[in-house]
Amino acid sequence: MADTPEFKEFQGIPLDPRTDYYGLFADVDGEDLEWWTKARDFAEWIRPQVNDAWEKAEYNLPGIEEAARRGLVRDGIDIEGEPAMSIRAKRLIGLELSRLDASTATALGVQAGLAMQSIASLGSEEQKKAYLKPMSTLEIRGAFALTEPDHGSDSIGLETSATREGDEWVINGEKKWIGHGSVGHIAVVYARMDDGKVGAFIVDQDQEGYSAETITGKAALRGIPQAHITLTNVRVGEDRRLPGCASFRDTAKVLMSTRIGVAWSAFGLAADCYEKALKYASERVQFGRPLIKNQIIQQRLADMLMDVTSVGLYCKRLLELEEAGTVTEQQAALAKVFSTRAARRVAANARDMFGGVGILLENDVIRHFADAETLHTYEGTDTMQSLIVGKSITGVGAFTS
């Protein structure tokens, strides 16, 4: 096998050139490189725990708390006394954690990208001071409660209500698929106010009228609990309403950022599947020779690399647009739908290339294969993202028949 490529677990950053084929991230340096290295170090620390948690459908909270101790639960939000984290750094962290495990990446995305970003973007200065620092350390775990049983992609049809009674708001309704909704401390609940506008409220999960049941039977993202929440006459003071929220447009920045984050997660998941398949094909001997000496294997590896590279190009361009402050909802939608489609193709190819052992968790690809289905769906389904793009290029909305 002397003429076969040596495959070793690469310790350096950036990505192995067989993955980052165009050197898209070869110039990462300085503080951004330090953050990426921190994420890689954390991934290696938690790696032995990941498959066990996924198989048992258990939340590895101590592992997530370790991520917080290492300063990774930030999503680029400025925290007093903590080092700065750039947009580039937060995207590279998301990439690296998704190469490891989509459940772990989602846990940090829920806490920082959704719950903390809601408060950072829409909250008062007092709310930011009260919540952001302890949320970054996981002293306070947060949930983002927007999706409802009957309103996912059409969340604009929000039915949860918030009625003003003096200095309090009374909230009634249901939420579903809410990460941290049953294992957190607070939930940022979105509800329709008396005047028809959309409000966001910080609700304590242990207060009267808040009931949450962890959803069981999931075949994907098994390492993070998601909840079905019922809110019955839940009372919160005016000081718990996020003053910056009055419409769905006010939440658009948060949601757009998380959709971009899903594209980066798809990049990480696809990259790991490709790397694992390349390693396996280099080592696996069939009919007296390694798999990589077969033409069909080389073609499939090249196909996988094309998808990984394409997703990387999407992410690199999105990063440039984000850093310039010009990225649009439509551009985020295009990247999200393409990247998750590509990740599904790569994961399916990798699982097949492993043959029978491809269904073993110890090889990671079957976990990625299942989790890719969730990436494809959450933060806006394939169809909804395509319709967002379709409207932008035709000028015609086709969201309803």
Side-chain angles (χ1 to χ4, degrees):
M1 295 179 61
D3 58 343
T4 62
E6 179 186 4
F7 191 102
K8 59 184 178 180
E9 294 297 328
F10 35 93
Q11 302 299 316
I13 301 292
L15 295 169
D16 186 286
R18 288 172 295 179
T19 302
D20 188 8
Y21 208 69
Y22 285 177
L24 299 173
F25 303 99
D27 61 348
V28 175
D29 59 9
E31 293 179 354
D32 293 334
L33 179 56
E34 290 178 12
W35 280 115
W36 197 356
T37 303
K38 285 183 181 181
R40 171 67 64 87
D41 290 344
F42 168 72
E44 291 308 308
W45 176 84
I46 200 176
R47 187 178 301 279
Q49 308 167 31
V50 165
N51 282 329
D52 186 58
W54 197 94
E55 183 172 18
K56 295 177 180 177
E58 293 179 349
Y59 188 33
N60 182 14
L61 182 57
I64 305 304
E65 290 174 337
E66 177 63 22
R69 281 190 286 273
R70 298 184 185 214
L72 298 174
V73 186
R74 289 274 301 281
D75 200 60
I77 296 171
D78 290 333
I79 302 292
E80 186 176 355
E82 297 298 326
M85 179 186 290
S86 69
I87 294 173
R88 182 174 302 243
K90 81 171 185 177
R91 294 307 181 201
L92 293 170
I93 290 170
L95 161 67
E96 197 61 40
L97 295 185
S98 296
R99 288 178 71 194
L100 166 77
D101 173 47
S103 293
T104 302
T106 299
L108 269 66
V110 166
Q111 178 75 4
L114 289 171
M116 287 175 64
Q117 281 290 2
S118 290
I119 295 172
S121 299
L122 306 173
S124 66
E125 290 304 314
E126 292 76 13
Q127 290 166 340
K128 295 175 188 178
K129 290 178 181 178
Y131 289 101
L132 293 181
K133 176 71 171 181
M135 290 180 77
S136 73
T137 63
L138 252 70
E139 178 185 344
I140 297 176
R141 293 190 298 278
F144 175 89
L146 174 63
T147 301
E148 298 181 347
D150 295 326
H151 300 285
S153 296
D154 66 333
S155 56
I156 196 168
L158 192 67
E159 292 185 28
T160 298
S161 64
T163 303
R164 186 73 179 262
E165 291 188 2
D167 293 331
E168 291 185 320
W169 293 88
V170 183
I171 304 174
N172 285 279
E174 292 182 66
K175 300 293 181 179
K176 196 170 184 179
W177 299 112
I178 309 304
H180 279 174
S182 56
V183 297
H185 300 107
I186 64 169
V188 179
V189 176
Y190 289 81
R192 186 81 61 186
M193 299 185 291
D194 298 332
D195 58 3
K197 295 181 179 179
V198 174
F201 305 85
I202 300 173
V203 176
D204 291 330
Q205 293 188 18
D206 62 357
Q207 71 183 83
E208 184 178 358
Y210 183 102
S211 175
E213 179 181 357
T214 299
I215 297 170
T216 59
K218 294 192 303 178
L221 281 192
R222 290 169 56 81
I224 178 175
Q226 292 156 310
H228 185 158
I229 299 170
T230 302
L231 302 129
T232 307
N233 295 324
V234 172
R235 292 181 173 271
V236 297
E238 170 64 11
D239 63 333
R240 291 294 193 92
R241 183 178 68 84
L242 303 186
C245 184
S247 71
F248 276 106
R249 299 310 310 167
D250 295 322
T251 68
K253 182 179 179 181
V254 176
L255 294 173
M256 181 174 67
S257 180
T258 55
R259 283 173 182 163
I260 294 172
V262 174
W264 282 87
S265 288
F267 183 25
L269 184 153
D272 195 59
C273 285
Y274 162 73
E275 292 160 0
K276 293 285 171 43
L278 176 57
K279 182 177 187 295
Y280 181 78
S282 299
E283 298 173 347
R284 176 64 167 167
V285 176
Q286 288 281 274
F287 302 104
R289 62 181 185 176
L291 287 178
I292 54 170
K293 285 196 171 182
N294 292 291
Q295 291 180 352
I296 190 62
I297 294 297
Q298 291 202 12
Q299 181 180 13
R300 292 177 73 175
L301 286 168
D303 287 345
M304 295 164 75
L305 178 60
M306 291 176 204
D307 274 330
V308 171
T309 301
S310 296
V311 176
L313 286 163
Y314 268 87
C315 289
K316 181 65 178 290
R317 180 56 181 155
L318 276 178
L319 177 60
E320 294 169 349
L321 293 169
E322 269 197 291
E323 290 175 331
T326 59
V327 67
T328 68
E329 176 187 3
Q330 293 77 16
Q331 290 167 331
L334 183 66
K336 194 271 183 185
V337 70
F338 175 83
S339 299
T340 58
R341 285 182 184 179
R344 291 169 94 197
R345 289 192 297 268
V346 175
N349 253 319
R351 200 234 62 80
D352 187 66
M353 197 174 298
F354 269 79
V357 299
I359 67 170
L360 296 178
L361 283 175
E362 67 187 48
N363 293 314
D364 295 328
V365 293
I366 192 63
R367 173 168 47 80
H368 288 323
F369 179 90
D371 289 343
E373 293 303 303
T374 305
L375 293 182
H376 194 60
T377 301
Y378 71 6
E379 300 306 322
T381 64
D382 182 285
T383 301
M384 291 305 297
Q385 302 301 331
S386 298
L387 291 176
I388 289 170
V389 175
K391 181 180 179 181
S392 74
I393 60 179
T394 65
V396 178
F399 297 96
T400 58
S401 58

